[in-house]
Amino acid sequence: MIWLSRLSVKLFLVYAALNLTLAIGYVTWVGHWQRQIVTQQMEDHLLTTAKALRSHLATVSDDLDRAVLQSWVDDLARQIGMRITLIDPQGIVLADSLEDPLLMENHAARPEVKQALEGDAGKAARHSNTVRMRMLYTALPLRTNGELRIVLRIAMPLHSIDEQVATIHRYLWILATAVGAVSLTLTLLGARQIMLPLSQLTDAAEAIAAGNYKRQIPKSGNDELGTLARAVDHMRRELMIQMNEQRENSQRLETVLSSMTEGILAVNADHRVLFANAASRRLLGIETAEVAGRTLLEVSRHRILRNAASEAMEKRKTVEQEFETLGAARRLLAMRTTCLPGNPCPGVVIVLYDITELRRLENVRRDFAANVSHELKTPLSSIKAYAETLRLGALDDKQHNMHFVQRIEEQAERLHQLIVDLLQLARVESGREAFDIREVALDEVVADCESVYGERASAKGLHLEIQLPDEPVLVRADENGLVTILDNLFANALQYTPSGGRVTIRIHGDASHAVLEVEDTGVGISARDQQRVFERFYRVDKARSRDLGGTGLGLAIVKHLTQSFGGEIRLRSELGQGSTFSIRLPRQSPRPA
Ligand code: ADP
């Protein structure tokens, strides 16, 4: 991979191109230079030879006999291996070692001849029409007594120079190729040397970017790469610390948010959910846990959420609303929608409070006040009416006055009972009632009431049955409180069971709890009313209860007392069949003997 990395390939290509350019430049320049040297040497050699021949020619003949000249030319050309030409001052070729002079054109215009005719040594390199190859020429004028007699020209083919230069070129190329190959190999090794730590560093940086903060950064030297590696490693450690801190913070925040009973929903500007704690999902009836990234309307059918989010974002203000949830378990929710910080508003946070219970309690309290007034008013009105009747003459009516006084007494008693119950309930509910909580034998409490209850049951024509376990049943409670519970449940059982029926009081339980049950075969309570009978003043049949002397507070007192002792109350009942009230209390384990 390192060998193929783009940077190393680039580096290699640049270096290779540089190498190639240098090699070509070097070979071309050296070749050119070499050719010049060889040509110069050749020219010098030709000039020296021409001078020697000219001296020799001067001695050969004074006349210009063509035959003599031709023989001299042929003879010497053979010896020195060069072409020799003799030309008269008019440019007419007198003799030539390679061609018949008579067939040769006038040579006065040939550059080397022209220079010689002008008195200097002439030289030229060109293609010869006569011998049809490139030749190097040197021409010298031969004078006798200062008069130009003849031009001596010698020539040799240039291809010998070309051959020499080509040989040198070949060697140069071999050398350049060898040097190039070595330097390219070194380039590759060098590129690898540079790229290896760089590529390791890149891999490590990519791993860190992908979240692997534990990935070690390879150690490098003290060069720039080493400095970079140390900087990346420092960055990695800082990032790791920051990410850990952030993770801890968000975990803390998530724990806080998820343990809240208020629902928290964060939504971005596109109405996509950023966060929803467990309470918000529960309150809105959202079943899927993965809601992040989905739109509000996708996760919840409550359009009001979306509208509140839009309004809060548009007006950049907190929107407060109340609404009832859809679905089977209807809850009343208060919603507070606030813009997240930023401009434009990047989203909203919606806080949901379940105010169902609060509203119910408010209603209960309001009803309670109304009920108390009403309950107090009824007997008072009766007392007032009877007193008025007496004052207006009935006092002297010996036949009826006693009856009216009795009625006043009854109503006063009812008022008294009501006030006693109200005071007791208020004390129990407020938690101010000072209970004497200690170990109480529940079976004994029941047994103590047996004879009184038996009489009251018989008086109503009811059969009372008491079922107690053999072992004592110890609970932690206030004895008077237990008696109040039992009295109320028994009184109700008597009241709401027609004569001939049966009331059973029994105690049972398990290792941890004792259960006191009061069962009757009376009128029973419908399922709808079962949920409400523990409310204050709630009576299934108001008139009947009132006639029977009930205040509607008995079961509320029983419930609160039971809860004060750490227990709970349950009711099983069927209309027309009877009811069973069960008080489940934590058991006090018997002391070791
Ligand atoms: P009350 O003084 O009217 O009896 P309670 O709080 O004791 O008030 O009871 C509330 C209502 O529950 C009663 O009015 C009655 O309608 C119903 N109730 C209580 N106990 C029984 C029972 N054993 N059988 C049938 N109805 C009962």
Side-chain angles (χ1 to χ4, degrees):
M1 277 296 114
I2 294 161
W3 288 101
L4 293 174
S5 81
R6 279 160 64 185
L7 194 58
S8 56
V9 168
K10 266 190 203 163
L11 210 65
F12 176 75
L13 287 179
V14 167
Y15 206 76
L18 195 71
N19 248 340
L20 200 65
T21 313
L22 277 179
I24 291 173
Y26 174 74
V27 170
T28 311
W29 178 76
V30 171
H32 179 71
W33 178 66
Q34 199 64 33
R35 176 181 282 276
Q36 275 184 336
I37 289 175
V38 173
T39 309
Q40 186 64 51
Q41 279 175 355
M42 210 68 116
E43 282 172 1
D44 290 351
H45 176 58
L46 274 179
L47 190 63
T48 315
T49 310
K51 280 180 180 168
L53 285 177
R54 185 174 63 175
S55 305
H56 187 253
L57 183 63
T59 59
V60 171
S61 159
D62 280 342
D63 59 25
L64 297 171
D65 182 68
R66 281 182 177 242
V68 175
L69 291 175
Q70 186 62 49
S71 122
W72 182 83
V73 162
D74 290 340
D75 190 26
L76 278 163
R78 207 168 30 252
Q79 284 181 44
I80 63 171
M82 292 182 190
R83 181 185 176 193
I84 303 175
T85 313
L86 296 176
I87 304 149
D88 77 358
Q90 282 72 45
I92 297 163
V93 179
L94 299 171
D96 189 89
S97 60
L98 290 180
E99 191 63 60
D100 182 355
L102 293 175
L103 300 174
M104 291 169 71
E105 59 185 22
N106 190 299
H107 269 44
R110 299 289 196 273
E112 72 281 2
V113 177
K114 207 173 163 196
Q115 278 177 309
L117 287 174
E118 285 165 4
D120 298 325
K123 60 176 180 178
R126 64 183 150 74
H127 187 265
S128 163
N129 289 336
T130 314
V131 293
R132 292 191 173 77
M133 65 173 78
R134 274 173 59 77
M135 301 289 278
L136 185 65
Y137 297 96
T138 295
L140 284 177
L142 175 63
R143 285 191 176 84
T144 311
N145 300 326
E147 188 194 339
L148 181 72
R149 271 207 310 136
I150 214 161
V151 171
L152 167 69
R153 188 184 76 167
I154 59 172
M156 63 183 296
L158 270 171
H159 64 75
S160 63
I161 298 177
D162 291 340
E163 273 168 20
Q164 275 191 47
V165 171
T167 309
I168 292 168
H169 264 202
R170 222 175 5 259
Y171 284 121
L172 280 175
W173 273 120
I174 291 170
L175 185 69
T177 311
V179 170
V182 170
S183 77
L184 286 183
T185 310
L186 290 176
T187 306
L188 274 179
L189 289 174
R192 184 180 187 275
Q193 197 67 18
I194 296 170
M195 289 314 298
L196 184 66
L198 201 61
S199 148
Q200 285 173 342
L201 199 58
T202 310
D203 286 352
E206 277 172 356
I208 293 167
N212 180 6
Y213 300 108
K214 296 218 167 80
R215 173 72 178 256
Q216 289 297 318
I217 305 291
K219 292 272 172 295
S220 299
N222 281 326
D223 54 7
E224 287 82 350
L225 269 179
T227 313
L228 181 63
R230 279 189 292 281
V232 172
D233 196 41
H234 181 68
M235 193 179 76
R236 172 188 71 84
R237 275 182 275 123
E238 285 294 313
L239 266 176
M240 195 161 75
I241 293 168
Q242 282 177 15
M243 286 307 288
N244 280 344
E245 272 175 16
Q246 209 172 335
R247 198 173 303 126
E248 278 170 21
N249 279 345
S250 68
Q251 272 171 0
R252 260 198 296 269
L253 192 68
E254 211 157 292
T255 313
V256 170
L257 290 175
S258 56
S259 62
M260 282 173 75
T261 46
E262 288 84 7
I264 311 277
L265 260 166
V267 177
N268 71 8
D270 300 328
H271 293 106
R272 289 196 178 275
V273 176
L274 300 172
F275 173 83
N277 71 349
S280 70
R281 295 199 298 270
R282 181 175 42 77
L283 292 173
L284 296 170
I286 301 171
E287 269 151 27
T288 42
E290 288 303 315
V291 290
R294 298 170 63 185
T295 62
L296 259 183
L297 280 181
E298 268 170 18
V299 298
S300 167
R301 286 180 299 143
H302 299 90
R303 281 194 165 269
I304 193 163
L305 293 177
R306 200 200 136 89
N307 297 343
S310 301
E311 193 183 336
M313 278 191 261
E314 243 168 58
K315 299 184 180 162
R316 298 190 62 79
K317 64 164 198 167
T318 300
V319 177
E320 289 185 357
Q321 273 168 324
E322 284 179 16
F323 66 98
E324 208 175 62
T325 58
L326 308 168
R330 298 217 157 199
R331 314 286 306 167
L332 189 64
L333 301 187
M335 171 175 66
R336 196 179 151 86
T337 312
T338 314
C339 239
L340 289 169
N343 201 0
C345 178
V348 293
V349 61
I350 302 173
V351 184
L352 299 164
Y353 311 86
D354 187 350
I355 53 167
T356 319
E357 187 60 15
L358 192 75
R359 278 292 138 80
R360 193 188 68 79
L361 287 176
E362 273 173 20
N363 289 340
V364 168
R365 209 155 283 143
R366 202 179 307 122
D367 291 350
F368 180 67
N371 283 333
V372 170
S373 321
H374 181 73
E375 294 295 330
L376 290 174
K377 220 173 103 189
T378 315
L380 266 178
S381 305
S382 303
I383 290 170
K384 210 175 141 204
Y386 289 128
E388 207 174 297
T389 314
L390 285 172
R391 180 171 57 80
L392 291 176
L395 196 61
D396 303 322
D397 179 352
K398 294 253 187 292
Q399 234 180 349
H400 295 106
N401 56 5
M402 239 14 218
H403 169 75
F404 291 133
V405 172
Q406 269 170 4
R407 288 280 160 278
I408 289 172
E409 218 178 346
E410 270 171 27
Q411 294 304 321
E413 177 53 33
R414 210 177 128 192
L415 260 181
H416 172 76
Q417 191 54 49
L418 194 64
I419 288 162
V420 167
D421 278 0
L422 271 173
L423 284 175
Q424 187 170 26
L425 183 66
R427 275 204 308 274
V428 177
E429 271 188 346
S430 69
R432 273 185 284 118
E433 170 87 325
F435 294 116
D436 183 13
I437 305 263
R438 54 191 158 119
E439 188 185 287
V440 183
L442 186 59
D443 51 319
E444 278 176 25
V445 173
V446 175
D448 287 350
C449 302
E450 191 170 356
S451 59
V452 182
Y453 286 1
E455 279 170 26
R456 285 170 63 186
S458 312
K460 257 210 89 177
L462 292 171
H463 176 72
L464 173 69
E465 190 177 328
I466 294 193
Q467 299 171 358
L468 299 177
D470 300 334
E471 300 287 307
V473 180
L474 300 177
V475 291
R476 273 193 71 77
D478 175 85
E479 193 169 346
N480 292 333
L482 281 182
V483 174
T484 309
I485 291 173
L486 193 59
D487 278 349
N488 273 298
L489 293 181
F490 178 70
N492 281 348
L494 282 193
Q495 268 176 17
Y496 301 104
T497 307
S499 68
R502 171 191 298 270
V503 176
T504 311
I505 301 176
R506 72 172 75 83
I507 291 173
H508 63 93
D510 52 30
S512 60
H513 287 86
V515 181
L516 166 69
E517 261 180 18
V518 179
E519 184 184 331
D520 64 57
T521 54
V523 295
I525 306 167
S526 70
R528 195 169 56 89
D529 291 320
Q530 280 176 34
Q531 295 176 358
R532 303 202 56 194
V533 287
F534 297 102
E535 289 173 17
R536 291 165 297 191
F537 293 118
Y538 187 82
R539 284 170 286 203
V540 177
D541 183 341
K542 268 191 182 2
R544 182 172 170 188
S545 160
R546 217 173 272 137
D547 290 347
L548 294 170
T551 58
L553 295 172
L555 285 180
I557 292 170
V558 169
K559 183 181 161 192
H560 279 96
L561 279 173
T562 309
Q563 286 173 346
S564 300
F565 304 153
E568 58 183 53
I569 183 162
R570 284 184 199 160
L571 164 61
R572 293 192 310 276
S573 183
E574 210 173 312
L575 212 54
Q577 299 297 311
S579 314
T580 308
F581 288 87
S582 306
I583 307 289
R584 193 173 146 83
L585 294 166
R587 205 191 260 273
Q588 167 81 40
S589 38
R591 278 205 212 101

